[in-house]
Amino acid sequence: MHQIQQLAAEILARIEAGTTLTDALADAHRQAGKLTPAERGALQDLSYGSLRHLGVLRHCLRQLVPHPLPEPQVERLLLIALYQLQYTRAAQYAVVHEAVTLAGMMARGKFKALVNGVLRNFQRRRDELLANAAADEVAQANHPDWWVARLKAAYPAEWRGILDASNVHPPLTLRVNRRRISVEDYLGRLEEAGLAAKALGDDAVQLARPVAVRDLPGFSDGLASVQDEGAQRAAHWLDLKPGLRVLDACAAPGGKTGHMLERADVEVTALDIDATRLARVGDNLRRLGLSAQLIEADASRPDDWWGGRPFDRILADVPCSASGVVRRHPDIKWLRRPGDFAGLGEQQAAMADALWPLLASGGKMLYATCSIFPEENRQQLEGFLKRHADAVCLKEEQLLPCERHDGFYYALLEKH
């Protein structure tokens, strides 16, 4: 167990240095060599869970140790162990023993007694410490204070619900491939496999509890894909018809690309600036038995890749803060900084402006983000409409995180 604790503490260090959780976990797996499935699962739980509850964990630690320790890695180890003691079913004595053992390997062992004392003190004072954390708004929010302030300003009536939804485990929602099987028949396949599920409407099916994709019936045969219900809105909003030319800008990992091709016989160009991520689009399409033209390029620089033939539909899934999918990526709330939004806004505007000339007259472009912050969504739409007199917004929607779906924003624009 101490190896997993150590790896999880190192992952926290990587997050603090600006690495994404996805990359940090991948690096940890390479560093550790071959981990068993149980060890991989434990490492993922410790990493995701400690980041999800980091506000409460830090508050409890500061009550026990008022000042940051001079050895940051010991402090990270304590946060991981506190998470295990409070939020997992791991044997309490084993958590303390392994953390103390690991502390003995750090800083010549001078924090070994402190780690032992802090963890045992937490066990004795647990109710008091957690009650104090519950009374602290920032700790209970498990989000940075500036993030909470922005949510309050943008959503004075909904901000608490947004935070609550962003701090829980996300649901597992599938998109049924209607080219291969109906939603009703796939629900039957799930039932046969002992997996309780319900239809959410259109192509979406939500499982009662998450399972590994290898346990999903027909997954490898392309019967279904993992995709949040909110993300499935895009293909429906684009009003696809057979024969249309469609551009999926920033397509990776390919969920929306696949959904569009499942919905209609359209000619899709899938674009992404990252070759590795673009390869995932190809992998996903092959599993579904579908195909698209894949191009590695910057969507905001069409002169480098566009052949001059207009598109009938464009999905402008622009880079954003990803503030709407925090429950799936809890590192986001700790990686983001208030100053990030100015740069993101510039990227979003530049990409939308660059893609608009590629759209045929009468065509439709869907501006999409997985953000809940207005400066990336409604404010971007207002600026775009001011810059483009030939653009009309047909409809828009801000989805907030809830038990059914993550947070997304969509604005459907038509060229006149």
Side-chain angles (χ1 to χ4, degrees), residues 7-8 11-12 21 25 42-52 80 83 330:
L7 289 172
I11 285 172
L12 281 187
L21 178 53
L25 267 171
L43 180 59
Q44 179 160 316
D45 176 64
L46 294 190
S47 303
Y48 276 80
S50 58
L51 289 167
R52 192 168 277 130
I80 295 297
Y83 167 74

Side-chain angles (χ1 to χ4, degrees), residues 25-84:
L25 267 171
D27 290 343
H29 289 153
R30 284 193 292 269
Q31 172 191 335
K34 190 171 180 61
L35 296 177
T36 67
E39 289 171 333
R40 292 174 73 93
L43 180 59
Q44 179 160 316
D45 176 64
L46 294 190
S47 303
Y48 276 80
S50 58
L51 289 167
R52 192 168 277 130
H53 299 285
L54 195 55
V56 169
L57 297 174
R58 281 176 170 167
H59 194 277
C60 288
L61 182 57
R62 285 287 75 84
Q63 292 179 77
L64 294 164
V65 185
H67 303 289
L69 296 172
E71 184 64 43
Q73 196 63 355
V74 174
E75 184 147 324
R76 296 179 192 112
L77 171 63
L78 283 167
L79 290 170
I80 295 297
L82 288 173
Y83 167 74
Q84 290 177 284

Side-chain angles (χ1 to χ4, degrees), residues 179 234-235 238-272 278 281-282 285 288 290-296 305-306 309-316:
R179 286 184 179 267
L238 278 166
D239 184 28
L240 301 171
K241 296 179 176 64
L244 293 183
R245 277 175 47 79
V246 182
L247 172 65
D248 186 356
C250 302
K256 297 182 180 72
T257 313
H259 195 195
M260 289 189 288
L261 289 163
E262 290 171 5
R263 296 288 300 179
D265 292 320
V266 289
E267 179 187 337
V268 175
T269 298
L271 199 74
D272 204 273
L278 188 65
V281 178
L285 292 179
L288 296 169
L290 301 168
S291 62
Q293 181 185 19
L294 306 184
I295 299 178
E296 179 191 346
W305 55 268
W306 184 46
R309 188 179 167 203
F311 292 98
D312 303 298
R313 300 287 187 270
I314 295 177
L315 173 57

Side-chain angles (χ1 to χ4, degrees), residues 12-333:
L12 281 187
R14 296 288 306 280
I15 301 298
E16 291 173 14
T19 302
T20 67
L21 178 53
T22 299
D23 289 343
L25 267 171
D27 290 343
H29 289 153
R30 284 193 292 269
Q31 172 191 335
K34 190 171 180 61
L35 296 177
T36 67
E39 289 171 333
R40 292 174 73 93
L43 180 59
Q44 179 160 316
D45 176 64
L46 294 190
S47 303
Y48 276 80
S50 58
L51 289 167
R52 192 168 277 130
H53 299 285
L54 195 55
V56 169
L57 297 174
R58 281 176 170 167
H59 194 277
C60 288
L61 182 57
R62 285 287 75 84
Q63 292 179 77
L64 294 164
V65 185
H67 303 289
L69 296 172
E71 184 64 43
Q73 196 63 355
V74 174
E75 184 147 324
R76 296 179 192 112
L77 171 63
L78 283 167
L79 290 170
I80 295 297
L82 288 173
Y83 167 74
Q84 290 177 284
L85 291 174
Q86 179 57 27
Y87 296 104
T88 75
R89 289 179 289 183
Q92 304 271 298
Y93 72 90
V95 171
V96 175
H97 173 74
E98 296 298 342
V100 171
T101 300
L102 191 54
M105 304 174 187
M106 300 179 183
R108 299 180 180 177
K110 67 179 182 179
F111 293 105
K112 186 175 179 179
L114 181 142
V115 167
N116 184 60
V118 166
L119 296 181
R120 296 194 181 282
N121 204 5
F122 173 78
Q123 290 175 298
R124 287 191 297 268
R125 300 173 54 196
R126 185 191 307 255
D127 292 343
E128 169 205 345
L129 296 170
L130 292 173
N132 290 340
D136 183 276
E137 185 176 275
V138 173
Q140 198 58 31
N142 281 305
H143 284 67
D145 53 357
W146 66 266
W147 189 299
V148 176
R150 282 184 180 233
L151 285 183
K152 285 182 175 180
Y155 304 102
E158 300 99 343
W159 67 273
R160 285 189 184 277
I162 294 171
L163 289 172
D164 290 343
S166 297
N167 284 328
V168 299
H169 286 271
L172 177 60
T173 303
L174 307 177
R175 184 190 76 240
V176 177
N177 183 354
R178 287 177 177 267
R179 286 184 179 267
R180 299 283 184 88
I181 191 171
S182 69
V183 170
E184 295 74 18
D185 287 346
Y186 193 71
L187 284 170
R189 292 283 298 270
L190 289 170
E191 185 177 4
E192 290 172 5
L195 301 174
K198 63 181 179 181
L200 297 181
D202 292 320
D203 310 319
V205 167
Q206 190 173 96
L207 273 69
R209 60 177 182 83
V211 298
V213 293
R214 64 177 178 271
D215 296 327
L216 295 171
F219 182 83
S220 60
D221 298 323
L223 296 189
S225 300
V226 176
Q227 188 180 37
D228 185 81
E229 186 202 14
Q232 295 185 36
R233 291 279 216 286
H236 295 283
W237 274 45
L238 278 166
D239 184 28
L240 301 171
K241 296 179 176 64
L244 293 183
R245 277 175 47 79
V246 182
L247 172 65
D248 186 356
C250 302
K256 297 182 180 72
T257 313
H259 195 195
M260 289 189 288
L261 289 163
E262 290 171 5
R263 296 288 300 179
D265 292 320
V266 289
E267 179 187 337
V268 175
T269 298
L271 199 74
D272 204 273
I273 197 170
D274 187 301
T276 301
R277 286 171 53 80
L278 188 65
R280 290 183 60 194
V281 178
D283 292 341
N284 282 325
L285 292 179
R286 278 188 290 276
R287 182 180 60 82
L288 296 169
L290 301 168
S291 62
Q293 181 185 19
L294 306 184
I295 299 178
E296 179 191 346
D298 184 344
S300 64
R301 300 180 60 181
D303 288 347
D304 294 344
W305 55 268
W306 184 46
R309 188 179 167 203
F311 292 98
D312 303 298
R313 300 287 187 270
I314 295 177
L315 173 57
D317 199 353
V318 300
C320 71
S321 65
S323 52
V325 293
V326 164
R327 61 185 177 187
R328 298 186 191 279
H329 305 280
D331 53 316
I332 288 169
K333 56 188 175 182

